[in-house]
Amino acid sequence: MADGDLSEARRDVASRIFDALADERWHDAMATVEENLAELVSFDPVLIRTVADTVPTSALRRRPRWWALRQYVTHLVAAPEKPPVFPDIDVEVPEQLPPADRVVLLTGRVASLRSRGLFREAADLADAARDALQAMTAAERAAIRSLLPLVLVQWGVTIAADGDLVRAADVLLEAHSAAEETGNVRMAREAAGELSWVHAILGDGAVADLWLERAARLRAQYPGMRFVRAADDLGAAYRASDALDFDRCLGLLDDESTLFEELTLPAAGLRAIVGSRARSAHPVYSLARLQVAVEGTRPGLSEGGLNAAVLAVARGTVLTYQGLHEAALLALERAPAMHPQAEGLLRTRRASAYLGLGETGRALREVAREDQSRAPRVRVEALVLRATALWREGDRDGAVTAFRTAWETSQANGLRASLAVVPMADLEALAAASGWSGPLPQPPGERLLMPAADYRYERLTAQQLAVLRAAAEHERLADAAAQLGVSANTAKVHLQAAYRRLGVSDRASAIAEGHRRGLL
């Protein structure tokens, strides 16, 4: 349809809606909106809000899904670049509601829970809403056909926020198909952007690139449409990082006009890692900036789901670059329990830290199953770490086999940077033994910072670290001992042993050194 014809069609829809409102034919006005929802939500969401504000409450009660639709459009109108949040939809959803209304209201509550950082509860409710959709008859499903792309996008985004990226990709693909079937350009654009970053984090490079191209085409085709959030910019930043194009990656992440909103913490985590790897920022500065980003988000958003995983990975990675492998392990251990896919990212970082500490056996145990992960990024990192550990243990054949598989997987998915999770000396030795003549992951100017080859300090035992931490919290050693449930004499013995390993002679110096090493 030509632009002129499209504008004429929109004017006709608006005229019919206003005529119905003027005649107080509330049902007709709402029905006309739903019949043309794909067009209106993409290009004229204000009109939807106008209907919701004009129709009396009694009419809205007869179509409960409009409470969720109204709130969604309110946030589009108020802040078009930001994601929808649904603070007013956190209500009970009665079982006796018509199925179509129940699914939409459940989805409103899903988004409400997600926006407060309750990712697990939100994902469970998204599953319940999806089950309700599957149980609907064909006629009931047809009643919300125009809303399906919207609810599917919300479910996919929520499942991704909980850390189940593979399943999120499946739901978002379904959302994109539904958007194309209904002509909902906004939802097609959103789904493409979300799919780009989800596949980019997984390491499905070729698939992520396809979705980035799709999102770019929609952006160019409909320049006047305001989008929800810069999901495709995050996907593009990940892909630039994978290619070791750090300048482009940081340019995308630092663009002040880009609003990541709910993706702020994944973007901040990537910025911390890339800023350190590119040597454009000192690791200490990168960690401080990351903490500022965490403190600037809504309470609860950093404490679970994918956000907690990417923050732990970022902290652990940057500490590893500094050679603070013990502190890296501590940072990774603070991450809460999470989805197995997100856990895979933590395991490869723990393995890298164990290698730095010279504990090849523990490194191998961390990645024992991850080389079979459904995420190519995790597979590549796990295989390189496995190859390095085997090489150091003298298993040359096993090391070469693992390294060749890692290299082939990285080449197939455009994951050059994922090879650089071990010291360069190990990488060069593996490449030489494998007969590989291609370039190693080193960008122009040799700017790439990689994990330090060894740990320069004597590692504290668990008891010594516990006493040091308690001593940092209390003025009296007796109070620190009481906190730990040990005698003051036992605490004193462990603390003095910690002094020797830290290279200091008093408590104040020990606490200062503990902070410097990232142990406190």
Side-chain angles (χ1 to χ4, degrees), residues 100-265:
D101 292 307
R102 178 173 169 75
V103 166
V104 178
L105 279 178
L106 281 173
T107 302
R109 187 165 184 183
V110 164
S112 176
L113 292 169
R114 187 188 72 236
S115 70
R116 298 204 304 272
L118 301 173
F119 303 119
R120 179 71 271 162
E121 294 91 330
D124 288 343
L125 195 59
D127 288 337
R130 200 168 187 205
D131 289 342
L133 178 66
Q134 297 298 330
M136 288 167 60
T137 66
E140 290 169 339
R141 192 177 176 108
I144 58 166
R145 180 174 179 270
S146 62
L147 285 164
L148 280 180
L150 190 156
V151 299
L152 286 166
V153 165
Q154 292 300 316
W155 298 345
V157 167
T158 300
I159 294 168
D162 187 46
D164 191 348
L165 298 179
V166 171
R167 193 158 64 92
D170 292 339
V171 176
L172 289 166
L173 180 60
E174 187 179 350
H176 188 271
S177 298
E180 289 198 321
E181 289 173 6
T182 58
N184 193 323
V185 178
R186 178 182 291 279
M187 293 302 111
R189 169 70 178 82
E190 284 188 34
E194 303 297 338
L195 281 161
S196 73
W197 77 261
V198 167
H199 282 290
I201 288 186
L202 286 171
D204 287 322
V207 179
D209 292 343
L210 287 174
W211 286 113
L212 284 170
E213 291 174 9
R214 173 63 175 157
R217 284 199 301 271
L218 287 169
R219 187 194 294 245
Q221 189 174 357
Y222 302 100
M225 184 173 66
R226 294 183 174 183
F227 309 128
V228 172
R229 66 182 186 185
D232 53 328
D233 285 330
L234 179 61
Y238 264 100
R239 294 300 293 141
S241 170
D242 290 335
L244 301 175
D245 187 349
F246 296 145
D247 290 337
R248 180 166 185 267
C249 176
L250 292 172
L252 287 163
L253 296 173
D254 291 332
D255 186 345
E256 293 183 358
S257 66
T258 302
L259 296 175
F260 291 107
E261 288 301 324
E262 284 182 87
L263 296 174
T264 292
L265 294 181

Side-chain angles (χ1 to χ4, degrees), residues 246-247 250 254 271 274-283 285-286 447:
F246 296 145
D247 290 337
L250 292 172
D254 291 332
R271 183 188 294 110
V274 173
S276 298
R277 299 190 87 168
R279 300 181 187 272
S280 65
H282 190 280
Y285 171 78
S286 295
R447 296 165 56 199

Side-chain angles (χ1 to χ4, degrees), residues 50-89:
T50 300
V51 173
D53 287 344
T54 306
V55 169
T57 302
S58 58
L60 289 177
R61 288 200 186 101
R62 287 194 290 272
R63 298 172 84 92
R65 57 182 174 269
W66 266 75
W67 293 111
L69 180 59
R70 179 182 185 275
Q71 195 63 21
Y72 173 78
V73 174
T74 296
H75 286 273
L76 286 183
V77 173
E81 299 88 358
K82 297 181 179 181
V85 290
F86 299 76
D88 300 330
I89 307 299

